[in-house]
């Protein structure tokens, strides 16, 4: 196949390192992969060998909301905190982007601006900020709030939060620090801007007491799929982590968000849309499917059947686990499209109730399960039909699922010209092909 | 001299790496020492060679309060953020304690508990928390507050903050994570405690979503010298960073705080009092004094004379810089003892107005300026007369002032048995000789 000029951008999802709830039980898997720094260092270094753009750390401000019978089986309950982990990983890598999730709901913009600037300096320009709003009521209760802020207000707050943070990053001109030992001037006061922000949600004076980040601003990442989320992404995001089940959904989202960017006068190439993808690669399709079936079988049935009942909006725990899902189920107020998608999945793959439940309890989103060639075909199709600019990859388990991706799939993608052989630059922006933002308060000195 | 059993504990103060405002201008000094990770890595690794207990990072939540004419000459205006910096330094050291300052005034206990736990895991048990309250009004304005909380309320809040954070650290029993692949149990629900704190300042449910720190709790550090600060230290601190001008002040403070501990039933050995000390070591006393004079001369006179006017409570900018300070000055509402101390210093060292001003503008607190032998004598006296358990060292400049300490003074201290030759353990607690706190909710399993 001929070399293509457009290439896939690859993120690697973490927290947990495998989204699949059975991953830690897989034979040979590192059971403590989420919480042993040695394992995470291995992960980061392998990602760099595989020429990934970024390590993407999701985050939560509470133990995940689930009943104790499911929670006790979850490998997500202990995890490093993103800023500390990524600063440590920066010391063991040289090109990998380091994206931390930070909530605009329970944080202060001054702290967030400072921490990302510090991470960007410590990593020499590899930081990214995944801006999220937090809707988990258990998180609210960790910060003294009993009820949760409304969706619309969360987004208005998020937008103002972003304005304050980016304004604080621009406190100092890039050339502010003259450090002139002879005169005694450490900086040039003309190259310092005091923000003085006063808005409906935040009042923040500044200045920020850290130099402008290496990248100007760390890369801005978002994941919101709602109307408000898409608009915020079109206005501000440079990477979007999306969740699409099908190519057509990907195409619709891609066209919508990039269209919004054009309306706003933004270059659509300055935003990379990366759907999450669970990737199981093996030498044959049958082997890959067997790995997935084995993984799914490790999802505890109690957790699995309750996931299925939630998805269908109907208690199905009385059904025969080894029989098929009935063609009709009682009406419910569960999302109709979600319910139909689940029922279609059962029919398409001819799954028993148990298998379907374990699929949902493991990972039921976009998956590529096959050989290096079949998966490269699928990824190429997503790229070439404008359904994605790349993927945010989820590995089935560590280290085997990761190793298979890097050792088998990456060479195939590189041979097709779909993935870089060497990094283009040293910063995350350079590798993603994103411009360095101008300082809004200071033009470069002529 | 015979080997003593009690040894000095040594911290190294940072932020800035040299407290002396002229340090960055010293010939051969790294002008960017506060903000170049390569320099800080060198510092941390040298401290470890010198068998220091800990790297202590002060912190501020705003640019330091000073007029622009002084600020423009300050090397403190750009600095890394503590958690990100210390997590990175943890990757380049193996025994050095890593103490971060975190404010109880503008932070949330859930975030702080989580970040210190993460740093403690990433450093394998080397984290310490310097608990401060923040009184800088410029910091308040970075967090939407125009007026500042009262001193007494700041301390009540600090105490409750400490209770919440330590309670969150005890969320999980040390043996909670069973990771039993066969049964599918990742943890034992009986070994999880949900805090459910509801108090006057904070309402925090928990659980914390990170395992109990390696040290049980990171080491608790404090610096408050007020009545409320001493009491909080006696109740909770394991290290106190003190600021004493004289041996007698050190003895009084030591006796007071350790007496309070006895009254509370705490073992006085479980708190180490480390006065800050600015140390200039050279082969002769004259050479050491010349280094200090040269450093002081690099403090800009405009900044220096305004420091002196503040200290004396009287504008002295009209005086002849090269003449002596007059014996009498107009009455003022400056602290009488502070004013007398400054005047006594001028008389004792026969300083001109300029020299006195530059001393205050540089560093006027406790200093040891001399040879390895003379400084070891002084440190030994402080240790043996119960004025200190060690020191929080401030270097005159980097790298030379640091190198002189490690290469000249450390061997002299070791030869006298005043400083370890090898670390006692791998955690900060082990090296400081502090017990690992019991989990308040779980006894060890029998």
């Amino acid at each position: 196949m001929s070399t293509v000029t457009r290439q896939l951008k690859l993120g690697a999802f973490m927290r947990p390192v495998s989204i699949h709830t059975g991953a830690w039980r897989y034979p040979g898997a590192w059971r403590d992969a989420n919480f042993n720094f040695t394992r995470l260092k291995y992960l980061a270094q392998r990602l760099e060998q595989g020429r990934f753009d970024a390590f993407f750390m999701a985050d939560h401000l509470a133990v995940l909301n689930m009943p104790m019978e499911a929670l006790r089986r979850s490998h997500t309950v202990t995890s490093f905190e993103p800023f500390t982990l990524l600063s440590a990983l920066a010391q063991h890598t040289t090109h990998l982007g380091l994206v931390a999730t930070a909530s605009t709901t329970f944080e202060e913009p001054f702290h967030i601006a400072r921490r990302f600037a510090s991470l960007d300096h410590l990593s020499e320009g590899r930081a990214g900020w995944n801006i999220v709003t937090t809707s988990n009521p258990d998180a609210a209760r960790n910060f003294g709030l009993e009820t949760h802020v409304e969706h619309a207000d969360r987004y208005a707050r998020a937008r103002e939060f972003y304005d304050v943070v980016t304004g604080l990053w621009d406190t100092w001109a890039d050339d502010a620090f003259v450090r002139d030992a002879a005169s005694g001037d450490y900086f040039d006061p003309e190259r310092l801007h005091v923000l003085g922000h006063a808005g409906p949600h935040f009042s923040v004076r500044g200045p920020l007491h850290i130099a402008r980040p290496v990248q100007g601003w760390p890369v801005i990442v978002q994941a919101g799929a709602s109307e408000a989320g898409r608009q915020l992404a079109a206005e501000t995001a440079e990477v979007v982590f999306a969740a699409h089940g099908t190519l057509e959904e990907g195409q619709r989202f891609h066209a919508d968000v990039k269209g919004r960017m054009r309306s706003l006068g933004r270059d659509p190439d300055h935003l990379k849309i990366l759907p999450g993808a669970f990737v199981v690669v093996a030498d044959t399709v049958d082997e890959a499917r067997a790995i997935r079936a084995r993984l799914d079988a490790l999802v505890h049935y109690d957790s699995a059947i309750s996931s299925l009942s939630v998805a269908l909006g109907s208690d199905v725990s009385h059904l025969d686990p080894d029989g098929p899902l009935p063609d009709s189920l009682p009406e419910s107020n569960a999302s109709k499209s979600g319910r139909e998608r689940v029922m279609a999945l059962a029919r398409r793959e001819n799954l028993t109730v148990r298998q379907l439940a374990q699929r949902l309890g493991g990972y039921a989103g976009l998956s590529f399960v096959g050989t290096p060639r079949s998966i490269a075909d699928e990824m190429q199709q997503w790229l070439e039909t404008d359904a994605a600019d790349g993927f945010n990859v989820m590995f089935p388990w560590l280290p085997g699922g990761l190793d298979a991706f890097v050792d088998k799939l990456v060479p195939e993608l590189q041979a097709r010209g779909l993935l870089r052989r060497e990094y283009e630059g040293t910063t995350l922006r350079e590798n993603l092909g994103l411009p360095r933002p101008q300082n809004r308060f200071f033009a470069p000195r002529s």
Side-chain angles (χ1 to χ4, degrees), chain A residues 72-360:
Chain A
R72 68 189 294 168
R73 302 188 179 101
S74 169
H75 58 164
T76 65
V77 289
T78 177
S79 168
F80 294 102
E81 181 274 341
F83 288 99
T84 45
L85 177 64
L86 297 184
S87 299
L89 287 175
Q91 305 310 308
H92 301 284
T93 51
T94 53
H95 290 77
L96 187 66
L98 301 161
V99 178
T101 296
S103 168
T104 57
T105 311
F106 300 115
E107 283 277 11
E108 288 284 343
F110 192 85
H111 288 315
I112 292 296
R114 185 181 182 209
R115 251 174 234 128
F116 273 110
S118 195
L119 176 62
D120 201 54
H121 284 288
L122 287 166
S123 63
E124 297 181 314
R126 294 187 281 135
W129 174 24
N130 180 36
I131 307 182
V132 300
T133 68
T134 305
S135 58
N136 179 351
D138 277 356
R141 284 190 276 272
N142 288 330
F143 298 95
L145 300 171
E146 274 307 312
T147 54
H148 206 71
V149 271
E150 288 300 314
H151 188 264
D153 193 54
R154 282 209 315 278
Y155 270 88
R157 184 180 154 107
R159 180 56 210 250
E160 188 181 339
F161 197 113
Y162 163 87
D163 290 338
V164 175
V165 168
T166 53
L168 287 170
W169 283 335
D170 286 347
T171 292
W172 303 91
D174 289 314
D175 59 4
F177 296 98
V178 294
R179 297 188 178 99
D180 180 349
S183 73
D185 273 351
Y186 197 79
F187 68 88
D188 175 356
E190 299 293 312
R191 310 294 279 173
L192 159 67
H193 179 86
V194 179
L195 185 64
H197 174 89
H201 298 85
F202 302 104
S203 168
V204 180
R205 178 173 179 272
L208 193 66
H209 48 331
I210 182 166
R212 193 161 190 253
V214 173
Q215 298 182 100
W217 304 352
V219 172
I220 302 295
V221 181
Q222 273 167 62
S226 68
E227 170 63 30
R230 286 170 187 226
Q231 190 59 27
L232 187 64
E235 290 172 12
T236 64
E238 300 176 298
V239 172
V240 166
F241 288 137
H244 305 309
T246 65
L247 185 80
E248 294 69 32
E249 281 174 36
Q251 289 169 333
R252 277 196 299 274
F253 183 87
H254 199 276
D256 176 54
V257 173
K258 301 239 170 175
R260 290 175 196 244
M261 290 179 74
R262 279 187 205 94
S263 310
L264 292 161
R266 281 189 73 198
D267 181 342
D269 279 349
H270 293 169
L271 170 69
K272 308 299 175 187
I273 298 178
L274 311 184
F278 183 71
V279 180
V280 184
V281 53
D283 293 332
T284 67
V285 172
D286 283 350
E287 193 190 332
R289 288 190 180 147
I291 289 170
R292 177 177 228 188
R294 192 168 184 184
L295 254 180
D296 283 354
L298 292 168
V299 177
H300 202 284
Y301 190 66
D302 292 353
S303 317
I305 196 69
S306 73
S307 301
L308 181 58
S309 295
V310 168
L312 296 171
S314 160
D315 181 1
V316 290
S317 61
H318 59 280
L319 296 178
D320 173 10
D322 299 310
L325 195 70
D327 284 338
S328 80
L329 284 165
E331 281 300 310
S332 84
N333 51 13
S335 138
K336 226 173 187 165
S337 62
R339 180 185 163 102
E340 270 159 25
R341 195 148 46 189
V342 170
M343 296 179 75
L345 167 66
R347 281 193 298 270
R348 193 169 62 243
E349 299 196 22
N350 198 23
L351 302 174
T352 64
V353 168
R354 184 196 308 276
Q355 286 167 334
L356 180 63
Q358 287 177 327
R359 174 68 61 82
L360 291 183

Side-chain angles (χ1 to χ4, degrees), chain A residues 373-393:
Chain A
R373 182 168 296 203
S374 77
I375 295 174
D377 283 345
E378 290 186 276
M379 289 186 164
Q380 184 163 355
Q381 188 190 13
W382 278 69
L383 182 70
E384 292 180 349
T385 63
D386 287 336
D389 299 311
F391 296 95
N392 193 25
V393 177

